[in-house]
């Protein structure tokens, strides 16, 4: 797509942080995912545009580059459905204990008698952060017959709440009333450790936490205690404060389902993010530099 428009394209499957820091300023535009930090260590150079193919901009020094006159864009809509579907998958996996029972059977154990699942229908889901992904999760949860509570800093439009038959509540009410709490906020200083000991202790002992947003939104030390001491029934994490994570106590906890930050890893989402990123680069580079 970009080559057809006459742009010279250099594609790198893998690049080290050191090498990226050395070369980024040679290009007019860079498209990145989340595997390198993009910081203005060599100033702006030729750079006019940075596109993060995906949502989270926490690996890009947005204010640093903006001050230098470099545009920073992302492709937020492309991965919404993929992350929402993973979230539902994790909810069902928690509700039915699918990973453990599957592992048992692969090891020769028929654990049918230990399968004590619950159904999603009739349960309450609490969606923290009701933006693109949170809303899609809410819609899917509604289709499963769940009651939906949402929490957000902004007022959620009434027609959306009507569509999902949901209610906007404060965080404390959401935590106390939900059977599944799913986090979909961006990571920023105000959401770091948004879910810590105090919040986990407010949740029901039978409830589950799902985090597919960013690792640092949930305090992992508090979560380990919550799982071990039974403040909540279980959790699923797609994201970790350090990735790949090395906290084996957390990863191997029997009440945790960990996944390797795979929320956006569908063929459809990756393609859509790539196409949108290329479109943004073509649009920017077809205009004269500012
Ligand atoms: P979005 O910007 O559309 O929605 C975020 C919502 O959170 C907004 O409505 C905002 O008002 C709300 N919010 C912000 N601070 C809040 C707070 N303190 N309390 C309550 N609500 C708050 O973002 P999105 O596209 O829905 O993405 C949500 C998260 O998912 C981001 O953290 C993103 O990094 C993450 N994500 C993860 C994956 C993955 O692979 N697991 C992929 C894409 C995005």
């Amino acid at each position: 797509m970009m080559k057809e428009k006459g742009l010279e394209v250099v594609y790198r499957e893998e690049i080290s942080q050191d090498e990226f820091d050395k070369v980024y300023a040679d290009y007019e535009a860079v498209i990145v995912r989340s595997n390198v930090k993009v910081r203005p260590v060599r100033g702006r150079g030729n750079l006019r545009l940075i596109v993060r193919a995906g949502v989270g901009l926490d690996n890009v020094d947005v204010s640093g580059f903006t001050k230098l006159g470099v545009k920073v864009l992302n492709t937020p809509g492309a991965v919404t459905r993929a992350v929402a579907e993973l979230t539902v998958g994790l909810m069902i996996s928690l509700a039915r204990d699918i990973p453990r029972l599957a592992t048992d059977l692969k090891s020769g154990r028929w654990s049918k008698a230990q399968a004590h699942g619950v159904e999603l229908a009739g349960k309450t889901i609490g969606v923290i952060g009701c933006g693109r992904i949170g809303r899609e999760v809410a819609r899917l949860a509604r289709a499963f017959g769940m009651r939906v509570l949402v929490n957000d800093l902004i007022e959620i439009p009434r027609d959306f709440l009507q569509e999902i038959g949901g209610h906007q509540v404060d965080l404390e009410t959401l935590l106390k009333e939900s059977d599944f709490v799913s986090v979909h906020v961006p990571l920023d200083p105000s959401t770091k450790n948004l879910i810590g000991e105090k919040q986990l202790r407010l949740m029901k002992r039978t409830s589950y936490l799902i985090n597919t947003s960013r690792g640092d939104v949930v305090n992992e030390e508090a979560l380990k205690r919550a799982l071990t001491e039974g403040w909540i029934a279980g959790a699923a994490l797609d994201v970790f404060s350090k990735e790949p994570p090395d906290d084996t106590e957390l990863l191997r906890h029997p009440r945790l389902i960990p996944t390797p930050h795979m929320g956006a890893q569908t063929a459809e989402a990756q393609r859509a993010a790539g196409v949108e990123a290329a479109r943004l680069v073509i649009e920017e580079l077809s205009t004269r530099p500012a």
Side-chain angles (χ1 to χ4, degrees):
M1 198 173 154
M2 290 186 284
K3 282 183 185 159
E4 282 161 20
K5 295 283 176 188
L7 299 177
E8 193 187 325
V9 181
V10 176
Y11 177 76
R12 296 288 301 269
E13 182 83 34
E14 299 272 340
I15 189 164
S16 70
Q17 184 67 51
D18 276 355
E19 195 184 347
F20 182 81
D21 285 343
K22 274 187 207 132
V23 301
Y24 77 85
D26 298 343
Y27 297 92
E28 285 179 273
V30 291
I31 298 176
V32 295
R33 296 198 190 268
S34 54
N35 48 337
V36 282
K37 294 209 181 324
V38 189
R39 47 202 185 180
V41 284
R42 276 187 57 206
R44 120 169 231 182
N46 296 326
L47 200 59
R48 292 166 58 185
L49 175 66
I50 298 163
V51 183
R52 158 78 166 98
V55 179
L57 280 167
D58 37 294
N59 61 320
V60 182
D61 180 352
V62 180
S63 70
F65 279 108
T66 308
K67 272 185 215 141
L68 293 172
V70 177
K71 265 194 204 165
V72 180
L73 301 173
N74 59 354
T75 62
V79 303
T80 300
R81 180 71 186 196
V83 183
E85 288 191 13
L86 177 71
T87 304
V88 174
L90 292 172
M91 271 205 294
I92 297 177
S93 299
L94 287 165
R96 304 299 295 271
D97 214 359
I98 297 171
R100 183 179 66 86
L101 296 170
T103 306
D104 275 2
L105 191 48
K106 281 176 190 266
S107 321
R109 284 188 300 278
W110 183 255
S111 307
K112 183 173 179 181
Q114 280 83 55
H116 304 293
V118 291
E119 295 175 12
L120 300 190
K123 300 294 184 304
T124 299
I125 181 173
V127 175
I128 305 175
C130 197
R132 282 173 294 262
I133 297 171
R135 285 182 206 197
E136 196 64 16
V137 168
R139 285 194 188 96
L140 294 172
R142 171 70 170 172
F144 275 92
M146 300 181 84
R147 173 180 173 241
V148 182
L149 300 178
V150 303
N151 170 260
D152 203 295
L153 298 179
I154 59 163
E155 196 178 328
I156 299 304
R158 191 180 290 269
D159 55 354
F160 175 73
L161 292 175
Q162 270 168 0
E163 177 194 331
I164 56 156
H167 300 279
Q168 185 163 6
V169 295
D170 59 55
L171 184 58
E172 187 171 330
T173 306
L174 181 148
L175 293 166
K176 282 181 175 163
E177 292 193 10
S178 299
D179 301 295
F180 295 86
V181 170
S182 193
V183 192
H184 302 286
V185 296
L187 175 63
D188 62 32
S190 76
T191 57
K192 188 163 183 191
N193 292 323
L194 182 70
I195 305 298
E197 171 165 354
K198 182 172 163 227
Q199 292 71 30
L200 289 161
R201 283 190 186 275
L202 287 172
M203 290 173 63
K204 298 191 221 180
R205 293 178 77 85
T206 52
S207 68
Y208 297 97
L209 175 74
I210 300 111
N211 184 17
T212 58
S213 66
R214 282 292 178 265
D216 280 335
V217 174
V218 172
N219 183 308
E220 291 175 355
E221 289 305 314
L223 179 62
K224 271 193 286 187
R225 287 186 54 212
L227 295 173
T228 301
E229 295 173 20
W231 311 345
I232 63 173
L237 300 178
D238 186 45
V239 285
F240 300 86
S241 58
K242 179 173 174 236
E243 294 183 0
D246 53 13
D247 183 345
T248 48
E249 190 192 343
L250 176 68
L251 290 176
R252 292 183 188 160
H253 200 291
R255 291 179 189 228
L256 181 84
I257 300 177
T259 52
H261 200 149
M262 56 182 262
Q265 302 296 114
T266 64
E268 294 86 348
Q270 292 302 305
R271 180 168 167 73
V275 168
E276 177 62 5
R279 194 190 63 74
L280 293 168
V281 169
I282 291 166
E283 196 177 288
E284 175 63 23
L285 297 192
S286 60
T287 63
R288 295 212 153 275

